[in-house]
Amino acid sequence: MRGVADSLMMHSWLVLGLVAAVAGYDYTTVPGLNHDTWWGPEGKEEDTSIRPFQIKWEKAMIDDLVYRLENRRKFVPSMDDTAYHYGVNTHTIGYWLDYWARDYNFTAREAYVNKHPQFITNMQGLDVHFVRIVPEVPEGKRKIPLLLLHGFPGSFLEFHEAIDHLIAGVADKDFVFEIVAPSLIGFGYSDYTNKQGLGGAEMAVIFKKLMNRLGHDKFFVQGGDWGAHIADIMVVFFQEEIIGMHTNLGMALTDKAFSMITMGSLYPAALMPNDLTGRLYPLKDTLQWLMREFGYFHFQATKPDTIGICVTDTPSGMFAWFAQLISMASRRANYDDPRGGLDLYTPSS
Ligand SMILES: *[C@@H]1O[C@H](CO)[C@@H](O)[C@H](O)[C@H]1NC(C)=O
């Protein structure tokens, strides 16, 4: 049976590549985008002011969180010797939930998340939260505006430490960075929308306009994960404005790329250096891994309301959902690690 499933999967991949190649999609024309869609509640005006913002964790909120963690129900014990094969092993979760309820220093962490100056401004009806660091520009240097776009499961905190290095690392250069790191729409302290249709392209418009509002006609963009998707779109739609782009998730979903990947499975070394072929080939292993580990993606894409209820009402459930993603996405060997590799992470305070 296994052989049949493998060859079916291989077959589907080949068919997909060939169909895309034959269909000859037009990837070169830039479609139009509405720059003024109102995503907020009706009857409000766009408040274009830029307001300083600080994250504040109310005592009542913390007390409620700790109460829920302390009064969690007993979980069904995971099966013996299954490591993280079926998700977060319930034998390992108690350590983290207890830590969160009893030892997590909310005061220290609140100060940490507020380490960089933050602001809020309204874009097309939605409040957008962002870190902004405007540097002194010494004589003889120029300022380079840099937009940093985070991904999932992440937040603007992805850049918290990198920002320190970016600011410090320019001593011997002829430029200094101005950093703008927003919370994506629907993430962290940015608003979410109740209207349908706000995807990567629509966020690209919002963040391009945010940079314009901050006085930058031209800027650099860096993106990871969803941020990479948005940055990809920005460089296509805003070719005049984007001076340069850095991505940590390079993707080419074109007919040519699919065909090359497919044909490459016959002789991977023709496509990439030998020491890298194991990252993609055998294609069957990569596809099986994707099928096994990306159920979360399918679920979030198709039934977000349901999982939203689960993770909103219980911090244990939210922890488990994210812990699984961090375990799965950071190291493939974590799958067979009895503690899911999470011990590599030290509690933060
Ligand atoms: C928590 O962090 C704050 C600020 O750093 C510190 O003053 C306090 O002593 C810490 N509390 C505990 C219990 O460690």
Side-chain angles (χ1 to χ4, degrees), residues 102-109 111 349:
R102 295 167 198 170
D103 299 321
Y104 188 86
N105 189 327
F106 288 92
T107 315
R109 198 65 185 169
S349 53

Side-chain angles (χ1 to χ4, degrees), residues 40-89:
E42 295 307 332
K44 285 206 165 178
E45 295 276 303
E46 187 176 77
D47 176 356
T48 60
S49 66
I50 295 162
R51 293 160 274 153
F53 177 78
Q54 285 256 303
I55 292 165
K56 191 145 179 41
W57 293 339
E58 304 291 346
K59 184 173 182 306
M61 183 194 87
I62 296 170
D63 290 348
D64 173 69
L65 171 64
V66 169
Y67 177 85
R68 285 166 193 259
L69 289 168
E70 291 283 11
N71 293 280
R72 62 184 183 262
R73 297 196 176 148
K74 191 171 176 303
F75 304 120
V76 175
S78 293
M79 287 182 282
D80 295 342
D81 305 321
T82 53
Y84 267 47
H85 297 179
Y86 295 99
V88 171
N89 191 303

Side-chain angles (χ1 to χ4, degrees), residues 141-315:
K141 293 204 182 196
R142 64 206 161 95
K143 183 163 78 175
I144 295 184
L146 174 61
L147 175 68
L148 300 174
L149 299 173
H150 69 81
F152 174 89
S155 70
F156 73 103
L157 293 177
E158 280 178 22
F159 303 118
H160 235 44
E161 321 266 318
I163 285 173
D164 293 336
H165 294 293
L166 284 170
I167 294 169
V170 290
D172 57 345
K173 304 282 190 299
D174 68 349
F175 59 85
V176 287
F177 284 120
E178 171 169 340
I179 306 281
V180 179
S183 296
L184 299 190
I185 307 303
F187 286 70
Y189 294 87
S190 284
D191 275 347
Y192 50 83
T193 181
N194 292 106
K195 301 206 163 71
Q196 296 187 58
L198 202 165
E202 290 71 21
M203 283 205 231
V205 168
I206 289 174
F207 294 129
K208 180 251 174 197
K209 286 169 61 181
L210 172 67
M211 290 304 273
N212 294 161
R213 185 173 295 171
L214 301 179
H216 307 306
D217 294 334
K218 293 178 186 289
F219 55 92
F220 280 78
V221 60
Q222 127 73 33
D225 191 77
W226 273 114
H229 172 59
I230 298 166
D232 281 349
I233 296 170
M234 292 184 93
V235 295
V236 172
F237 278 86
F238 308 121
Q239 300 180 10
E240 293 301 311
E241 289 88 347
I242 309 294
I243 320 166
M245 178 244 215
H246 176 266
T247 180
N248 56 23
L249 183 70
M251 283 230 264
L253 301 178
T254 61
D255 46 4
K256 191 174 165 194
F258 274 122
S259 309
M260 283 175 76
I261 290 169
T262 309
M263 291 186 287
S265 58
L266 298 175
Y267 185 52
L271 265 196
M272 57 184 79
N274 255 322
D275 57 328
L276 295 182
T277 56
R279 294 190 186 179
L280 185 61
Y281 299 105
L283 215 42
K284 153 177 91 59
D285 292 352
T286 300
L287 290 174
Q288 277 177 341
W289 177 77
L290 286 170
M291 297 277 275
R292 194 184 73 199
E293 300 298 344
F294 279 65
Y296 85 92
F297 191 95
H298 197 87
F299 203 95
Q300 289 186 174
T302 60
K303 300 287 176 272
D305 283 355
T306 308
I307 193 65
I309 292 166
C310 302
V311 300
T312 302
D313 199 52
T314 151

